[in-house]
Amino acid sequence: MISTTVELRTVEGTQAAMGWAGGHTIVVDRPEGKAGGLGLGFNGAQLLALAIGGCFCNDLRYVAEEMGVKVGNIAVTVTVNLEGTPLLATSATMAVSCETLDGSDPRRIVDKAEAITAVSNSLRQGVPVAIEMARRGASGA
């Protein structure tokens, strides 16, 4: 099994959160005026769309390398639809453009990436999420 862990903490002087993994950081916030949000970063739905699309972009590169095909520009647009109260993601759509440098049809790369992409395939199967209270002191609280 492979595991990954990220950390999030309140950004001092705001109600936004700074998230990090290793040396990479991202700001998470609500739109300005919503529940104390200042619009300083991405909201949850945007992060979900970025996770879907970002994972797929990486998988396109992995598959192309495995197949010995050089890939140039990749463009991915992800739309996540939310409905209900509470809001739940009900669907996501990815529009993919993938340029092969030899001019070959990129469809086989896209199809193979779709078969192995971790985030989309995990969402399709449903991922259990457990929420538990951190021990005092363990979270900086």
Side-chain angles (χ1 to χ4, degrees):
M1 173 178 27
I2 299 170
S3 294
T4 189
T5 301
V6 302
E7 300 283 343
L8 293 110
R9 303 288 185 275
T10 300
V11 176
E12 189 67 34
T14 75
Q15 292 183 23
M18 173 72 68
W20 69 90
H24 306 288
T25 61
I26 193 163
V27 177
V28 183
D29 198 5
R30 286 129 351 263
E32 190 168 350
K34 295 263 187 170
L38 298 174
L40 298 175
F42 297 102
N43 67 36
Q46 292 166 331
L47 289 168
L48 178 59
L50 284 166
I52 292 167
C55 183
F56 196 75
C57 285
N58 285 341
D59 290 331
L60 288 168
R61 301 273 181 197
Y62 291 138
V63 166
E65 182 176 281
E66 179 183 290
M67 295 173 76
V69 178
K70 300 251 188 262
V71 171
N73 291 323
I74 292 173
V76 173
T77 301
V78 181
T79 301
V80 171
N81 296 305
L82 300 113
E83 294 181 45
T85 305
L87 277 177
L88 296 175
T90 56
S91 65
T93 304
M94 241 187 310
V96 179
S97 173
C98 178
E99 171 191 50
T100 59
L101 297 183
D102 64 5
S104 62
D105 184 357
R107 186 72 223 191
R108 60 192 180 110
I109 297 168
V110 171
D111 288 345
K112 190 163 184 183
E114 181 179 8
I116 67 160
T117 191
V119 173
S120 294
N121 289 335
S122 297
L123 290 171
R124 284 185 191 116
Q125 291 184 13
V127 178
V129 177
I131 299 175
E132 53 193 42
M133 294 300 293
R135 293 186 317 265
R136 281 203 166 274
S139 68

